[in-house]
Amino acid sequence: MFNRTAYGLIALTMSLTACTVVTPDAGQQAVLIDQPYFLGHGGVRPQAVPTGRSITWGSTSAIYVDMTPQTVHVAFNDYSSADNILLDFDTAIQYRVSDPVKLIRDFGGQWFKNNVASQYSAIVREAVKTKTMTDMMSNVSAAADLDRQVTAQIRRLIRDNGIPIQVLDVTLGRAVPNANVLEQMNETAAQQQRLRTLDAAKLAEDARKAEQESKAAADDAYRQKMGMSVEGYLQLQIAQIQADACRAAKQCVIAPPGSTVIVGGKL
């Protein structure tokens, strides 16, 4: 049976022979965290491992930190505009880490969730209240101004908290009315389109009526000028219609009123 000394020797051997292979990809650095088995000091090492391969002894873990620009997407729903319209946003924060060791040591791997997310939500909520829905959806300069306003406040938050990242840009994206508001807007648009269609139809009917009345007045003026009765003028119009039809058909027979026409040898 092993005694305490034997167990201690086995544990010591394991601590001396254990190793951790660290291989940061291009654009990454690895932050090492020592977790000694028995003796020594644990915690974050003061130097990060740059891109490449490194072997470290003892019980050590690694957190890989991207040093290239990164983007965090955060969605917000039902934020009220200046005109009390509920809007949804799909926002993006672009940033770059400046000191990976300090970031992990002082703020941990969940630094955004624990130190930025709730304040960011409040900043966006208050900023959205300063603009109307139309401004945020249709006015490019107003939307850009809103992005600049939020970006400045996020940079101030990061600086005041000492978080070692550089905020490159914040974009709120296009404001989208929430589902209920959008349904109401679509119904309103449909009603407006129906009214425009009815107005256009009425205008067309009025135009046709005016045209017909104008033609009738011109015809009556011509009849009176020629000294014709209404019946005589109508017969003239009928004759003109028949003549036009014959010219179009290139062959026809015009029978005087009251005549009987025989077609195909049958009466």
Side-chain angles (χ1 to χ4, degrees), residues 170-192:
V170 179
T171 305
L172 299 190
R174 188 171 68 90
V176 179
N178 73 2
N180 292 333
V181 175
L182 189 59
E183 182 179 356
Q184 295 174 10
M185 291 176 63
N186 290 336
E187 179 60 27
T188 299
Q191 292 176 357
Q192 292 174 344

Side-chain angles (χ1 to χ4, degrees), residues 30 63 76 96 104 161 164 213 255:
I63 295 179
F76 296 118
R96 180 166 48 215
I104 299 303
N161 288 328
E213 290 176 347

Side-chain angles (χ1 to χ4, degrees), residues 52-80:
R53 181 183 178 91
S54 177
I55 298 177
T56 181
W57 300 99
S59 177
T60 302
S61 62
I63 295 179
Y64 295 94
V65 179
D66 290 305
M67 302 302 293
T68 56
Q70 302 295 307
T71 301
V72 176
H73 291 277
V74 184
F76 296 118
N77 297 322
D78 297 343
Y79 278 17
S80 181

Side-chain angles (χ1 to χ4, degrees), residues 70-196:
Q70 302 295 307
T71 301
V72 176
H73 291 277
V74 184
F76 296 118
N77 297 322
D78 297 343
Y79 278 17
S80 181
S81 63
D83 47 354
N84 297 318
I85 303 297
L86 297 179
L87 302 172
D88 298 341
F89 295 88
D90 184 10
T91 72
I93 301 178
Q94 188 179 36
Y95 69 93
R96 180 166 48 215
V97 175
S98 55
D99 187 338
V101 172
K102 180 180 179 181
L103 182 66
I104 299 303
R105 184 191 65 215
D106 297 347
F107 301 96
Q110 299 295 318
W111 61 269
F112 183 86
K113 177 181 177 181
N114 296 332
N115 300 276
V116 178
S118 61
Q119 295 93 325
Y120 177 52
S121 174
I123 288 172
V124 173
R125 185 185 299 274
E126 292 304 313
V128 168
K129 290 180 181 179
T130 66
K131 305 292 183 181
T132 66
M133 179 192 70
T134 302
D135 283 341
M136 287 181 281
M137 292 183 64
S138 306
N139 190 325
V140 175
S141 61
D145 179 68
L146 187 64
D147 288 346
R148 286 191 294 269
Q149 179 182 343
V150 173
T151 300
Q153 294 188 57
I154 289 297
R155 285 174 175 166
R156 187 180 307 115
L157 171 69
I158 296 297
R159 183 185 66 246
D160 292 346
N161 288 328
I163 303 175
I165 69 168
Q166 178 188 4
V167 176
L168 304 176
D169 191 28
V170 179
T171 305
L172 299 190
R174 188 171 68 90
V176 179
N178 73 2
N180 292 333
V181 175
L182 189 59
E183 182 179 356
Q184 295 174 10
M185 291 176 63
N186 290 336
E187 179 60 27
T188 299
Q191 292 176 357
Q192 292 174 344
Q193 182 58 48
R194 285 194 291 269
L195 290 176
R196 285 193 291 268

Side-chain angles (χ1 to χ4, degrees), residues 187-239:
E187 179 60 27
T188 299
Q191 292 176 357
Q192 292 174 344
Q193 182 58 48
R194 285 194 291 269
L195 290 176
R196 285 193 291 268
T197 301
L198 291 174
D199 289 341
K202 185 178 185 303
L203 288 174
E205 290 295 334
D206 291 344
R208 282 193 292 270
K209 179 181 178 182
E211 180 183 3
Q212 292 169 356
E213 290 176 347
S214 177
K215 186 177 183 304
D219 289 345
D220 191 56
Y222 176 78
R223 178 188 65 79
Q224 294 181 22
K225 182 178 180 181
M226 299 300 295
M228 301 174 64
S229 64
V230 174
E231 291 77 9
Y233 182 74
L234 289 177
Q235 290 178 358
L236 177 63
Q237 291 293 95
I238 293 172

